[in-house]
Each structure stands twice: as C-alpha cells, then as structure tokens.
C-alpha cells in the first residue's frame, strides 16, 4: 500500500506544490520527520513555498513507516487544507483544477487589485474561507509594512488556496466594498474565457460588451471599459427559500400524489416537491387565456395563488416556444421585499430545470450590468425602475428582447409609475412598428381599482383605460370554480371600530399655544410671513399644516432683498422657526394616535439633538419656551389616556384570548407611529408577550433612515417563522404582495386609502377565520372606508360588464385609447424643456443664503451624481460621520457635509471615496438656491429641472482636484 501511496503522491505532486505551504503543516509531522529534517524544510521556505513544498514531498517519498500517508492526510485536514485533503482522499482534483482559471485571472489583474483594495477591510469577508493563520499573517503584514504589502500577501494566499468557494467570496467582496472597476476586469476576463470555449456564447459576449462599455466610458476611464458580471456564477441570487406554504402562495395547491383539499406541509429544502405542484381548477381557469397566448390580466383575491399561476404560465410559455426560438420571461415586482420573495420562489420552482433564473433590484443593480444578466438568463426578476433606466441608457436595446412580461400588482400601471413608463415603450413599438414581435403581457392583481369613479360607466371607463395601458385582451377572473375558490381563500371579515377622542386633550392645547407663539415670533421678524404661501385655513396637527411649512420654505429659498445680509438673516431665521413648527405639528399628530408620552419623547429627542450642536439666539428662545412648558407637559403625559389605544388593546386582548396562536399585522401611516406603538406594546404588561417586529421602507424620511434590506428580511422571517413574535407593525411597504400565510388578524390603525389599498391590505389576513379591523376616531375615515366597500362592488360589476363585451369590440376600443394616449404623449414631447444655457451661476445655501460654489465647478458622474471639483469648496462646509455609510456605483459615502455657518448647518450632501480618491463631495440640488447672472434666484428640487450646463468629470480634472486614499 505504501508504494501505491507514493505513486499517488508523485502523480499529484504538481497540485500539492502549487497549494501547500510546508511551514503550516511541518510541526505536525514530527512523528515521521526528525527535527533536523523539519528545520531544513522550514529553511527551504526562504526560496518560496513552491520550492519548499517540492522539498517536503521529496522527504515524504523517502518515508517507509507504516501509516505515514494517512497521517499526512490527517495533518492536512487538521491544519485547514480541507480541499487538498479531500482531493487526495478521493483521487479527484476536479475542484482543485476548477480554481486554475480564477487564479490565472487574479494574476492578470494582480497590480490593479493590489493598488486599489484595502486589505484590512477586504480580508474580513474571508473569515469563513481562509485559514485563521492566513488571515493573521495578512493582518501582521499590514501592521508591519502597510496596506500594499498586505494586499500582496492576501493575493499570494488566494493564489495558493484550495478553497472551492474563494472566487465567489472574492466577487462578493469586490461588490460589497464598491470596487466595481476591479469587479468589471475580474468578471469580464472570466467571461472572455468562457466565451472562447463555448461557441454559442461568443456572439452573446460581443453583444453584451457593446451594451455595457458606453456606461463606463461616461467616466472617461478607458481602462475600466469592461463588464461586471460573471455569466457562470449566480452571484445575484438570494439563497434563502420560502416555505412551500408560501410558494403555493397562500392558496394551497394540489400535489400530484395528494388529495385535493390537503395542505402540503413540505420543508423548503426539498426542491423536488415544488416541481410536482399542480394548479387547482380555479387556478387553471385563471391561467387558461394566457396559455393561448393572449395578453391577460389575472384578477383574483389576495391569497388565491396568483404567483403560482404565473409560475406555471411562465413554464408553459418557455416550453411551447416554436422551433428555433428561445423564450425570455420578465417578472416585475414594485417593492424590493416583494421582489426578494418572488425571486426566491422562481429560483426554487425552476431549480434543477434547464431554465436559468436571475434577479436584479435597486439594491444590486448599481454593481452589475443588467444587460448581461438579461442576455444570459431565461427568466429575469426585476423591480421596474431598473428596466426603465436600462432602456433609457441603451443597456437593454428594446423591450422586444422579452417574449413575456409579467406585471405583479399590475393595477399600478397608471400615471408616471415605472410600469406605465415601460408600457409607453411597448405601445410606441406596437403603433409605430406593427411588424415587431412584442412580448406577451400578463398582469396580476387582486383589485383593478376604480380611480375616482362614482358610477358604473365611470368605473368601466377607468378599467378599460388600465387595460389599454397594459395592452390587455382578456380580464381573467374565477367564474366556473367559485366554490373551490371560496373553500380555499379565506376572506377576512371586516369591521370598523370608531373610538372616541380624548375628552380633554391638554397636550394639544399647550402645543397649540407654543405653535401660535412661534408663528407670532416669526411674523414679528418678517411681517410678510403669511403672504408667502397661498395655503390657508391650516389647523395645527394636520397634514395641511405640513404642506404650508413646505410651501413657505420653498418661497423662502428664493426670497430676494437689496440688502443681502438682511436676506441671509431672514431666510435663516424663517427656516429655524418653520423647522420647529414642523416638529410641534408632528408631535400633535403623534399624540393624536399614540400616547402623550410618545409625543413628548419625540420633542425631547429633537431638542436634545439640537443641544448637541450650537444654539443660535432664536433656537435658544424657542428652547426656553419649550422648557417653560415642559413640567406641565410631563405631568399631562402621566395620565393622558388615548381611547384609540384602549380600543386597540381590547381587540388584541380579545383576539389572543380566543386564539393564543393568533398572528397579527398592524398597519399605520407613519414611521414615527410605528416606533411609538412598538414602544407602547413593549411597555404594556398585557401586551408584552406579542414581542412585536417592525417593517418600514428603506428610503430616508426626514431624520428617519429606514430599514436596510437585510433588516426587512430579518423582520419578515422572524414574524413568519418565530414562535415568539406574534405581531408585525408595518407601514405601506407591507400592504402589497408580502406573503404571510399564518396571519389571521389585520389591524388598520387610522390607515385608510382607496379601494385597491383596502382590498390589498385586507388580503394580508390569509388564515381561516381571519378578521380585519379599522380603528379610527375620525368619522370621515370610517365613511371613506364604507365608500371603499361600495366601490369594490362597483369594480366587480364593471369587470363583469367588460368580460361580456365582444372580444373584437374590446380590442378595438383598447386600440383607440392607445392611439389617443400616444398622440397626447407625442404632443407633450413638442414642448420640451428649455435647452441648458451656458454661463456660470452661483449656488447659495437655501437656508442662510451663504455662497457655496459655482455651477461651473459641478461635474457629473454616471449621469446622476454631481461633484464639486473646486478645492476651496471644502472650506465652506463641515463634515460629520455618515450614520449609514454605503457604496453606490463605486462611490463610498463616508461623511455628511453641512453648511459651515454655525447658525445654519444645513445638510448639503455627502463626501466619500471614489476610484481610490478621497474627500469627494456630492451635493443635493434641493439644498441650494440658484443665483443667475442677472441676480434673480431659482429653486429646483431635482437635477433634471435645472437649466444650466454641466460637464462630465474628466480624468485630468479628477487627478488634479483630489488626492488618493492613503
């Protein structure tokens, strides 16, 4: 056996010498090697690890002791060479050989990687991939010799790694750390190699390269003209899969080996189960028009399994393509949590099939060329704005590249919604180029809506126009199998609970006094205050008052006086007054829906944050005025009970008393109320057992930064799967598409919208005997909800009328509407916005009117980010560490920048690193006033609305204006 082991060792010696560092294992080989031999092998390492490994193998082959080979394998396993150990044990080096290609690529871009990555941050991604000793050596090299030496050490270790997963970890690390240009080089070269070996991919490569390079050329960096995606590796895929109960997506489907009404309880890890799912009869009825190739709007209740229907339609479409043609299906979801959920479902359903599924959302699109993903995939899951951007940039040449487009929550195809913008492109092709093959359209919705319709003809008109927007031929609803639908989908019973208002609301009375006094102070300072806005009859504690503040601040931005110092002083002061009024207004609204304690905590937090800065004279007066009232407010907050909360507590208490396994969704309108109700529940001895989770949007709202995508996923998973969390408090982010099958109690806390929202939110309750409560103290809200119930009946009647219409007549009517809408769009294009004019302008801080920069010093990066190249700009702002640093399109924001004037400190934008350069400021136009050459001033809250010219950033300016990171 010993001779066979030696022959095996000789056979695989080249693999071993390319991986093994003998110093890592030699001390564990003392059973077979003398101390003298061990020291010689260690000394040989000075000639390089490959030479030392050859010397090590030479001495191994000289061993005659029994068991030396198994001992060598055991040492490899124990010291971390798991890949090499497995290959030698199995005599299979397939996985080791697969690493040759990425290692060659890494050698090719060695210099670029070495000079751009920060190994002290980068190595943290490899804690589960590299050996702990390797990581320690990298960190030690950084400490002793610096980052460049550490990067070289890191690369050398990767080039000798036996870990199968390191190329994927490397790709993800490049993505997470924002090294998009390296990612482009890395992935492009890998793609080139694949294209050389697979003939059919060569043409795809050349097309994809064309679609991506222009985006890089906008930056004027010729060395970065490469794509950033690996056609072999699904690095966009989210690995977690939903439970099969959620896959069947609410309505329990039928497995081929099960009785019709049995709900399958199958673990999500069992992929083969999903492929055996069959549609129920009513689901087949919904899908039937789509199977015949018709553009179909599937309208069915929330929880009826529309996603499963779309999966089967997708599969049928791909399998039934004519010979010589290949299908490409696009599925779109409007919200990122829903996108993540549906992507997981599609990946699971088609796992093991010949169809490749990929997904891109706003979270990942900035790091990967979508054109490449689309070109190399059969099924693509997107958020619609991604495709809008790609069509506008030319990354995706035409909407006709798809053979089918599925619109989840298709009722959103109105106005300027991305769905409608995409359909504008579709309809332009249809009407301008009749011969072009267009994708089949599938729409999914629980409610088509009625708009502002008050009569049946108006409702029919609204739905017809929605169908025209989507080029729909058939509205598919359940008609023949209604009994099965009723047995399967549980419609929650709806109740409206009107709670009384506080009998004596002393908090609102005192805050109204403070607001009145603050307004008086502002008016004394600037007598024309009330004439600045046309919004009148505003009440404290209302949304209308918030609108007055917004309008007043906008008018303040362009207020002009001959005395510029006076103008600056007045604008800055009015911003201070109105910002305080905004907080007071918010506190009254919080008090109306939550506890007085929560409203007071909100205000105290505001003033405490303000104290951390520097008070100006006005802020000091306002602070003192609040402090004078604080003892009264604290006293009020102790016993000021909110009847609405009592009603909410009563419903929760009753529901969990009847059914301790109840799962509840609580919808509210604002993030501040989410926080307040969560705190109230956690501090309430009777409700603490609910252990609430929260779900809010990701974008920033005033001071609220929102939830990250991972936090959203975590909250949903905790609520779906944890036995502890029994309640999810959410804003509108959860009212469409989120599948939480176990939910049987939906609570709408002053949460009323249109009929579509009512149906969507009510449908979140999917378990049997579900209940839905609207809790409100406002009679008008109750009336609005009752009207929504009437509009739902109106909507159903209108759909029935349209379904009875002759198909040819319906299609002709749709065509006429499409022609009419296209004519309107074409006419609007004739009135294009004025062309950008030459000439320098000044940007002034919108709050204090101090000079910030010149428009001639603005440079545009990637058509969307606006950088100031003036080196003196940094003298006019201060920086604070960004509370949520992240990387987007290669730019890593590190700091927030603020107006330097102590009495202002208005938020101007961010500063960060890009392309290895540091302290690059990006500004937000809505934070500035534009002063034209003639002295007039303008305020624009979007870059797209400005009329002055801006240059793209050139390499020369970049190098001369900014310093590289150390």
């Amino acid at each position: 056996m010993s001779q066979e082991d030696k022959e095996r060792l000789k056979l695989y010696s080249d693999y071993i010498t390319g991986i093994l560092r003998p110093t890592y294992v030699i001390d564990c080989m003392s059973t077979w090697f003398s101390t003298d031999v061990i020291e010689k092998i260690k000394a040989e390492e000075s000639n390089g690890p490959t030479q030392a490994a050859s010397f090590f193998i030479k001495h191994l082959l000289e061993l005659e002791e029994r068991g030396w080979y198994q001992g060598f394998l055991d040492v490899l396993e124990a010291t971390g060479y798991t890949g090499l150990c497995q290959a030698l044990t199995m005599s299979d080096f397939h996985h080791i050989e697969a690493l040759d290609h990425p290692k060659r690529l890494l050698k090719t871009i060695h210099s670029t990687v070495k000079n751009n990555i920060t190994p002290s941050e980068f190595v943290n991604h490899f804690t589960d991939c590299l050996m702990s000793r390797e990581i320690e050596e990298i960190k030690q090299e950084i400490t002793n010799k610096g980052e460049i030496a550490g990067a070289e050490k890191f690369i050398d270790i990767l080039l000798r790694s036996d870990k199968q997963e390191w190329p994927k970890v490397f790709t993800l690390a490049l993505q997470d750390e924002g090294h998009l240009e390296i990612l482009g080089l890395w992935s492009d070269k890998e793609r080139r190699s694949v294209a050389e070996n697979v003939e059919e991919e060569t043409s795809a490569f050349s097309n994809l390269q064309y679609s991506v390079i222009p985006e890089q050329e906008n930056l004027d960096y010729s060395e970065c003209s490469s794509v950033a995606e690996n056609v072999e590796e699904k690095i966009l895929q989210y690995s977690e899969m939903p439970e099969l109960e959620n896959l069947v997506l609410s309505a329990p489907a039928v497995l081929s080996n099960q009785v019709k009404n049995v709900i399958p309880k199958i673990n999500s890890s069992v992929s083969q189960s999903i492929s055996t799912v069959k549609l129920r009869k009513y689901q087949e009825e919904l899908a039937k028009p789509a199977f015949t190739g018709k553009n179909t709007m599937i309208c069915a209740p929330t929880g009826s399994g529309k996603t499963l229907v779309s999966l089967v339609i997708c599969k049928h479409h791909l399998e039934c393509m004519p010979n010589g043609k290949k299908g490409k299906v696009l599925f779109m979801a409007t919200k990122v949590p829903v996108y993540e959920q549906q992507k997981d479902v599609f990946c699971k359903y088609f796992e093991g099939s010949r169809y490749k599924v990929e997904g891109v959302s706003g979270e990942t699109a900035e790091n990967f060329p979508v054109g490449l993903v689309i070109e190399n995939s059969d099924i693509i899951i997107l958020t619609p704005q991604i495709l809008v951007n790609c069509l506008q940039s030319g990354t995706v040449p035409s909407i006709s590249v798809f053979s089918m487009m599925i619109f989840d929550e298709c009722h959103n195809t109105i106005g300027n919604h991305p769905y409608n913008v995409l359909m504008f492109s579709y309809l332009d092709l249809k009407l301008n180029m009749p011969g072009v093959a267009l994708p089949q359209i599938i729409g999914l919705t629980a409610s088509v809506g009625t708009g502002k319709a008050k009569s049946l003809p108006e409702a029919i008109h609204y739905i017809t126009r929605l169908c025209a927007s989507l080029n729909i031929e058939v509205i598919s609803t359940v008609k023949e199998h209604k009994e099965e639908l009723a047995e399967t989908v549980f419609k929650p019973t709806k109740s409206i609970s009107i709670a009384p208002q506080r009998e004596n609301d002393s908090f609102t009375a005192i805050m109204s006094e403070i607001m009145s006094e603050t307004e008086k102070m502002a008016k004394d300072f600037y007598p024309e205050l009330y004439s600045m806005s046309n919004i009148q009859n505003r009440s404290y504690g209302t949304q209308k008052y918030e609108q007055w503040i917004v309008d007043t601040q906008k008018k303040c931005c362009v207020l002009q006086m001959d005395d510029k110092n006076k103008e600056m002083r007045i604008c800055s002061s009015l911003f201070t007054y109105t910002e305080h009024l905004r907080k007071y207004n918010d506190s009254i609204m919080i008090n109306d829906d939550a506890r007085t304690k929560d409203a007071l905590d909100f205000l105290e937090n505001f003033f405490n944050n303000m104290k951390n800065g520097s008070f100006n004279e006005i802020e000091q007066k306002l602070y003192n005025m609040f402090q004078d009232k604080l003892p009264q407010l604290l006293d009020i907050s102790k016993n000021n009970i909110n009847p609405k909360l009592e009603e909410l507590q009563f419903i929760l208490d009753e529901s969990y008393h009847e059914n301790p396994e109840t799962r509840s969704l609580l919808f509210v309108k604002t993030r501040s109320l989410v926080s307040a109700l969560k705190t109230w529940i956690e501090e309430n001895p009777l409700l603490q057992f609910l252990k609430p989770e929260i779900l809010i949007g990701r974008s920033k709202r005033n001071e609220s930064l929102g939830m990250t995508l991972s936090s959203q996923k975590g909250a949903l998973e905790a609520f779906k799967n944890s036995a502890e969390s029994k309640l999810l408090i959410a804003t509108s982010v959860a009212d469409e598409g989120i599948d939480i099958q176990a939910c049987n109690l939906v609570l709408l806390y002053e949460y009323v919208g249109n009929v579509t929202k009512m149906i969507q939110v009510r449908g979140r309750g999917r378990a049997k005997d579900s209940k839905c409560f609207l809790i409100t103290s406002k009679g008008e809200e109750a009336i609005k909800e009752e009207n929504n119930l009437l509009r739902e009946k109106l909507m159903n009647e209108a759909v029935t009328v349209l379904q009875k219409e002759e198909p040819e007549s319906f299609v002709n009517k749709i065509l006429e509407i499409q022609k009419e809408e296209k004519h309107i769009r074409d006419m609007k294009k004739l009135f294009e916005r004025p062309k950008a004019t030459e000439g320098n302008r000044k940007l002034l801080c919108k709050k204090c009117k101090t000079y910030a920069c010149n428009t001639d010093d603005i440079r545009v990066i990637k058509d969307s980010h606006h950088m100031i190249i003036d080196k003196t700009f940094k003298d006019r702002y201060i920086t604070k560490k960004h509370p949520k640093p992240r990387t987007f399109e290669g730019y890593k924001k590190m700091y927030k920048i603020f107006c330097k004037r102590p009495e202002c400190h208005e938020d101007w934008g961010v500063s960060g690193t890009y392309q290895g350069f540091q302290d690059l400021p990006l500004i937000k136009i809505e934070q500035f006033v534009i002063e034209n050459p003639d002295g007039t001033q303008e305020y624009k809250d979007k870059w797209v609305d400005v009329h002055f010219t801006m240059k793209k950033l050139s390499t020369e300016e970049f190098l001369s204006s900014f310093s590289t990171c150390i």
Side-chain angles (χ1 to χ4, degrees), residues 5 67 410 538 583 609:
D5 292 336
C410 67
R538 57 195 181 276
K583 298 300 179 184
N609 288 337

Side-chain angles (χ1 to χ4, degrees), residues 552-568:
T552 300
Q553 289 185 343
K554 283 186 176 181
K555 299 291 174 52
C556 185
C557 287
V558 292
L559 178 67
Q560 289 186 267
M561 296 179 174
D562 293 334
D563 185 340
K564 292 301 176 184
N565 288 329
K566 183 178 180 182
E567 175 188 318
M568 185 184 297

Side-chain angles (χ1 to χ4, degrees), residues 646-856:
E646 290 184 317
E647 184 66 22
L648 176 58
Q649 179 175 320
F650 174 78
I651 293 171
L652 287 169
D653 187 52
E654 285 290 304
S655 299
Y656 283 90
H657 180 72
E658 291 176 9
N659 179 9
E661 299 305 314
T662 292
R663 311 282 282 182
S664 306
L665 260 173
L666 173 58
F667 284 99
V668 300
K669 283 188 174 180
T670 66
R671 295 179 180 183
S672 57
L673 190 53
V674 169
S675 177
L677 291 182
K678 183 175 188 289
T679 304
W680 169 67
I681 290 170
E682 289 173 338
E683 294 177 358
N684 189 322
L686 297 177
L687 300 176
Q688 286 174 340
F689 73 95
L690 295 175
K691 298 189 183 303
E693 294 286 344
I694 67 168
L695 184 65
I696 62 175
R698 293 175 301 117
S699 58
K700 181 179 178 181
R701 296 284 186 273
N702 295 326
E703 285 76 28
S704 174
L705 291 173
M707 295 178 76
T708 63
L709 181 59
S710 59
S711 297
Q712 288 179 331
K713 287 180 183 176
L716 279 171
E717 288 305 312
F719 181 64
K720 288 180 182 179
N721 303 320
S722 169
E724 289 191 356
S725 179
K726 299 177 182 296
L727 173 69
L728 181 68
I729 310 172
T731 56
S732 60
V733 71
D735 64 16
E736 287 188 357
I738 295 293
D739 285 294
I740 308 170
Q741 179 156 359
C743 180
N744 63 329
L745 178 62
V746 178
L747 302 164
L748 312 178
Y749 196 79
E750 294 289 10
Y751 192 87
V752 179
N754 57 23
V755 62
T756 300
K757 183 177 282 292
M758 179 197 74
I759 293 170
Q760 292 285 348
V761 173
R762 181 184 66 198
R764 295 310 104 202
R766 301 189 171 188
K768 189 175 182 180
D769 300 323
S770 295
K771 296 177 182 178
C772 180
F773 289 90
L774 169 65
I775 302 165
T776 179
S777 61
K778 303 176 179 69
E780 64 272 18
E781 295 290 273
I783 292 171
K784 187 176 181 180
E785 191 71 355
E786 288 171 352
N787 288 337
N788 281 337
L789 292 170
L790 295 175
R791 282 198 171 94
E792 182 180 11
K793 293 180 180 178
L794 192 65
M795 177 190 73
N796 292 333
E797 289 177 21
V799 168
T800 301
V801 170
L802 288 172
Q803 287 176 320
K804 291 178 179 177
E805 192 167 342
E806 286 294 324
E808 186 177 349
S809 171
F810 182 70
V811 169
N812 288 336
K813 191 184 295 184
I814 292 296
L815 181 59
E816 288 307 310
I817 293 173
Q818 290 171 345
K819 289 178 178 178
E820 172 194 326
E821 290 291 327
K822 185 179 185 308
H823 176 71
I824 293 172
R825 291 199 302 275
D826 291 342
M827 290 299 293
K828 284 181 179 179
K829 290 177 183 177
L830 297 176
F831 301 96
E832 293 180 349
R833 57 192 286 261
K835 289 187 176 180
T837 55
E838 300 288 339
N840 183 46
R841 289 151 176 80
K842 294 179 180 177
L843 292 189
L844 313 178
C845 174
K846 77 170 185 179
K847 182 176 178 181
C848 69
K849 292 295 188 77
T850 191
Y851 167 74
C853 62
N854 292 325
T855 58
D856 277 354

Side-chain angles (χ1 to χ4, degrees), residues 188 191 203-217 225-227 371-372 393-397:
D188 184 41
R191 183 169 53 78
S203 59
F205 158 66
S206 57
N207 292 334
L208 290 168
Q209 186 184 35
Y210 172 77
S211 69
V212 176
I213 287 177
E215 181 182 10
Q216 298 288 348
E217 287 177 343
S225 57
S226 57
V227 298
L372 186 60
S393 67
T395 304
V396 176

Side-chain angles (χ1 to χ4, degrees), residues 421 588 626:
V421 175
I588 293 177
F626 176 74

Side-chain angles (χ1 to χ4, degrees), residues 146-160:
E147 295 282 359
I148 295 292
E152 288 182 329
K153 182 71 173 177
F154 170 69
I155 293 169
D156 289 344
I157 285 173
L158 286 187
L159 291 175
R160 299 189 69 83

